[in-house]
Amino acid sequence: MKNNKATTISLIAPALFKINKFRFEPWMENKAARYYPLGLLSIATYLYHKNNDVDISIFDVNVELPLLFRSRPYHENNVLQVHDEMVKRFLLKKRPEIIGISGLFHKTKNQVHHIAGLAKEVLPESVVVLGGCYPSTSPQVAIKDNNVDFIVVGEGETRFEKLLHFLQGKISENDLEGIHSSKPEIHWYPSLKSYISLKVLPPYKLSLIKIDEYLPYSSYLSDSYLKSNCVCLQLYASRGCPNKCTYCTSGAANYIGPYRPLNSDILIEHIKIYKGLGVQELLFWDDNPCGSPIQIKKLMRALNNDGIPYTFANMELDAIDDEILQLYFENRASKTFQVGIESGSDEVLINILRRKLTKSEIMKKMVSIRSFVGKEAFLRATFMIGIPGETKEQIHETVNFALTLPIDWAAFSCFMPIPGTPLYETAIARGYLKIDEVNLNFDEPIMDMPHLAAKEILYLRNYANYRVNFVENKQIRANPEKTIEAFRNVLSNYPGHCLAYWGISQCYKELGNASDYKTNLEEAVEISKQPQWEQFMGPLFNNKIEDRLDQF
């Protein structure tokens, strides 16, 4: 398999959506995708920086497929064929000796292996390498694919470079680490538990991707992305997380290494380079940006002095203090703030998830945040439903807790036991799922527990969403104009959403608009007769939807 001329490398980011359910949406005329392939971009940049003899390309299906449909008629029934032809054309044009495929999430498993098959079909002599969370935490599943030659586990920069040098004959196999090999037989070259120093990572080589085709984060909660031309760079200010939550790959599972913040002075120098390349906004994807309060405060001060708008997609409540809030909202891309709360039960929070804060501490923090940022900021909290060991009563406790929090939106997801985490091991040991079940999708539960079947978990997740975000949404009365916009955004993504129409009708009722109230209410009532909605009308409204409502 060694090839002394292995200098052409193509890195592919598979679709983060199901190909057969892809829709070309109006916003794709202006921006093609939401998420940067940051792992591939970091690896490619590092290889370019350290190896002058390599030719590297990145192909992001999430960008390229929408771009292709801008220039040709879109037909839902031939998307997979168009996708396959597009990937094959790219590979035949580049003819790489090494093809890296990112398995960022477990839900992309099928896409990852499909592209591996396409690669071997058109370039059978190529070396196919997988990396990312899915193959790193489920190597025993991923390596079974005959189209896969190697798996890079965990951080990819130095491990992929060593694999490249091995394939080029520059080092022996004894020098490999963190690598699974499938040929001539499955073999594991164990990790030495050495992790890259972030200060040696060069600035991203942004010419490898189409940066102007990714949506700015500040546009996600409104229709502004239909016309926004802002160039938003996604990046990290740290890796890992110092917390030990039992459900997260960055906590107790720790597959990407210990928590390491990037020196803020180095990061600011990188950002100056990015601004010179046209970047206008920053989105940080750190798992826990407040893991080092000293570093995050220093970074925020520097960013505020620079003036570039920025957002941290995730914030851990336990480390947030008034100074962080003041710095964060001093210069912002948009007044949005997201925190992971996960449960409304102290038993689940402390003893199952190993979170740091109790319900009362969470409430105190959230009240402080709302008081600080005011009514106009959009506060979003995330929760999980169907956690191993969680009871129905505790799920209802979570729903009721979410209703008391001073938030604008609660994102409820079905709990997914990610391989490598303690709660995954718990689920396997208790027989809640089989070891090969790694097609994880946070909208579709896969665990069957004795007291809580998968179908019931899905029902309770939907019930929680409908009750908190629609039927008892506090913003309907507090800010009906703003809430109409939020519900219309729901309809743009989920046409025919019964409770979005119902919510809009209630907003117009608050505003005294009888005509629009009636129009939207009639639409909601008609949709509520469909089976997927009718099952919720009793629990949510105690009867049929129209019986809950007074005349205007």
Side-chain angles (χ1 to χ4, degrees):
M1 190 175 292
K2 291 186 178 182
N3 181 353
N4 293 334
K5 296 181 180 180
T7 58
T8 305
I9 303 169
S10 290
L11 304 178
I12 301 177
L16 296 175
F17 47 81
K18 294 181 179 179
I19 299 295
N20 60 352
K21 292 187 177 181
F22 171 80
R23 292 184 305 163
F24 186 82
E25 300 183 45
W27 63 265
M28 292 178 178
E29 289 288 355
N30 188 55
K31 299 284 186 179
R34 294 182 183 273
Y35 308 111
Y36 277 47
L38 283 179
L40 299 185
L41 183 58
S42 184
I43 291 170
T45 300
Y46 182 80
L47 292 178
Y48 254 125
H49 184 70
K50 296 286 295 298
N51 302 269
N52 296 325
D53 59 342
V54 295
D55 176 17
I56 306 177
S57 57
I58 293 177
F59 188 82
D60 187 351
V61 171
N62 302 280
V63 166
E64 300 299 336
L65 191 62
L67 281 179
L68 192 59
F69 279 118
R70 281 187 196 168
S71 59
R72 61 184 293 170
Y74 169 66
H75 300 290
E76 291 186 6
N77 59 352
N78 73 343
V79 173
L80 182 59
Q81 179 182 346
V82 171
H83 166 274
D84 290 359
E85 292 173 351
M86 175 187 72
V87 173
K88 289 179 182 178
R89 279 197 304 272
F90 167 77
L91 291 172
L92 289 172
K93 178 182 179 181
K94 292 293 183 179
R95 305 197 75 84
E97 292 94 6
I98 302 173
I99 300 170
I101 305 173
S102 170
L104 183 59
F105 303 116
H106 284 77
K107 72 176 184 178
T108 64
K109 170 190 171 186
N110 292 339
Q111 309 285 10
V112 167
H113 292 289
H114 182 69
I115 289 179
L118 295 177
K120 287 295 188 178
E121 178 184 337
V122 297
L123 298 172
E125 299 303 315
S126 64
V127 175
V128 172
V129 184
L130 305 188
C133 182
Y134 154 56
S136 291
T137 58
S138 301
Q140 75 282 2
V141 176
I143 203 68
K144 291 178 181 179
D145 185 351
N146 290 330
N147 296 309
V148 174
D149 298 301
F150 295 97
I151 292 173
V152 175
V153 175
E155 286 188 330
E157 289 90 355
T158 57
R159 293 173 185 178
F160 195 100
E161 183 185 38
K162 286 185 176 181
L163 178 59
L164 169 65
H165 291 167
F166 167 70
L167 294 173
Q168 292 174 334
K170 295 179 179 179
I171 63 174
S172 74
E173 65 176 358
N174 293 328
D175 297 313
L176 294 175
E177 64 161 317
I179 299 289
H180 280 273
S181 172
S182 66
K183 299 177 180 67
E185 59 184 16
I186 295 177
H187 186 76
W188 163 238
Y189 301 93
S191 167
L192 301 178
K193 299 298 181 182
S194 59
Y195 302 98
I196 194 168
S197 170
L198 301 189
K199 67 182 181 181
V200 306
L201 294 178
Y204 293 137
K205 188 175 176 63
L206 295 182
S207 59
L208 288 168
I209 61 172
K210 298 172 180 176
I211 60 171
D212 56 347
E213 288 292 344
Y214 294 90
L215 284 173
Y217 184 80
S218 58
S219 68
Y220 284 7
L221 300 173
S222 72
D223 286 331
S224 63
Y225 58 70
L226 296 174
K227 54 185 180 293
S228 173
N229 288 310
C230 176
V231 177
C232 176
L233 175 66
Q234 301 175 22
L235 69 168
Y236 291 98
S238 64
R239 284 189 184 176
C241 178
N243 295 343
K244 300 299 180 184
C245 302
T246 55
Y247 57 90
C248 179
T249 55
S250 295
N254 199 25
Y255 91 96
I256 59 171
Y259 176 73
R260 289 155 293 158
L262 177 59
N263 181 281
S264 57
D265 293 332
I266 295 176
L267 187 55
I268 289 296
E269 290 303 312
H270 289 184
I271 290 170
K272 290 178 181 178
I273 296 172
Y274 300 143
K275 289 178 67 177
L277 297 172
V279 170
Q280 301 162 291
E281 182 178 309
L282 304 174
L283 168 58
F284 291 92
W285 278 111
D286 301 52
D287 292 309
N288 186 354
C290 299
S292 172
I294 293 175
Q295 281 293 331
I296 195 65
K297 291 174 184 178
K298 185 177 180 182
L299 175 60
M300 286 180 177
R301 291 190 193 97
L303 291 172
N304 292 345
N305 289 336
D306 180 88
I308 188 168
Y310 62 94
T311 299
F312 285 93
N314 306 294
M315 298 286 274
E316 282 291 331
L317 273 178
D318 60 272
I320 295 174
D321 58 25
D322 287 348
E323 185 179 5
I324 287 177
L325 288 174
Q326 183 174 354
L327 289 167
Y328 188 51
F329 282 97
E330 184 177 312
N331 177 20
R332 295 277 289 105
S334 64
K335 286 208 168 185
T336 60
F337 196 84
Q338 175 170 301
V339 294
I341 293 176
E342 315 311 355
S343 176
S345 162
D346 281 338
E347 169 67 22
V348 174
L349 285 168
I350 304 303
N351 295 329
I352 297 179
L353 299 179
R354 302 298 183 191
R355 301 282 289 174
K356 288 187 173 182
L357 301 182
T358 64
K359 283 173 58 178
S360 61
E361 291 169 328
I362 290 170
M363 177 61 76
K364 185 177 179 180
K365 287 268 190 179
M366 293 305 296
V367 168
S368 175
I369 290 171
R370 174 58 79 187
S371 175
F372 186 90
V373 303
K375 294 181 179 179
E376 294 305 311
F378 189 92
L379 300 188
R380 184 175 186 266
T382 61
F383 299 87
M384 300 184 294
I385 301 294
I387 298 162
E390 183 180 42
T391 65
K392 295 177 189 177
E393 291 74 21
Q394 288 167 335
I395 291 174
H396 286 293
E397 193 177 351
T398 293
V399 175
N400 292 331
F401 183 57
L403 285 167
T404 66
L405 289 168
I407 58 177
D408 299 293
W409 199 264
F412 293 95
S413 64
C414 298
F415 174 81
M416 286 293 118
I418 301 176
T421 63
L423 280 185
Y424 173 81
E425 300 302 329
T426 297
I428 292 292
R430 295 181 182 178
Y432 296 164
L433 77 163
K434 297 176 182 178
I435 196 167
D436 286 349
E437 292 178 314
V438 291
N439 289 312
L440 305 184
N441 185 326
F442 291 90
D443 290 326
E444 299 173 4
I446 62 171
M447 287 195 309
D448 270 312
M449 296 184 279
H451 62 288
L452 208 55
K455 288 183 178 179
E456 192 165 11
I457 293 172
L458 180 59
Y459 180 90
L460 289 169
R461 192 287 306 268
N462 290 337
Y463 167 81
N465 174 35
Y466 298 156
R467 183 180 169 195
V468 176
N469 294 320
F470 297 91
V471 178
E472 299 185 43
N473 189 319
K474 297 184 287 291
Q475 295 302 314
I476 288 176
R477 289 189 175 182
N479 196 338
E481 294 96 340
K482 175 183 174 183
T483 310
I484 287 173
E485 181 182 1
F487 288 150
R488 291 203 184 284
N489 284 332
V490 172
L491 288 172
S492 69
N493 290 307
Y494 304 97
H497 195 293
C498 172
L499 294 177
Y501 281 111
W502 182 85
I504 291 172
S505 78
Q506 299 308 290
C507 291
Y508 281 123
K509 185 177 181 179
E510 292 294 325
L511 294 169
N513 185 330
S515 175
D516 286 335
Y517 162 79
K518 182 179 179 182
T519 298
N520 285 280
L521 177 58
E522 289 176 347
E523 189 73 33
V525 169
E526 187 62 31
I527 296 172
S528 73
K529 300 173 184 177
Q530 299 172 7
Q532 67 267 35
W533 291 105
E534 191 174 26
Q535 61 181 318
F536 291 101
M537 294 302 104
L540 292 173
F541 295 102
N542 298 320
N543 210 318
K544 292 184 179 179
I545 187 171
E546 62 265 34
D547 293 341
R548 160 75 183 265
L549 307 171
D550 299 325
Q551 294 298 313
F552 190 84

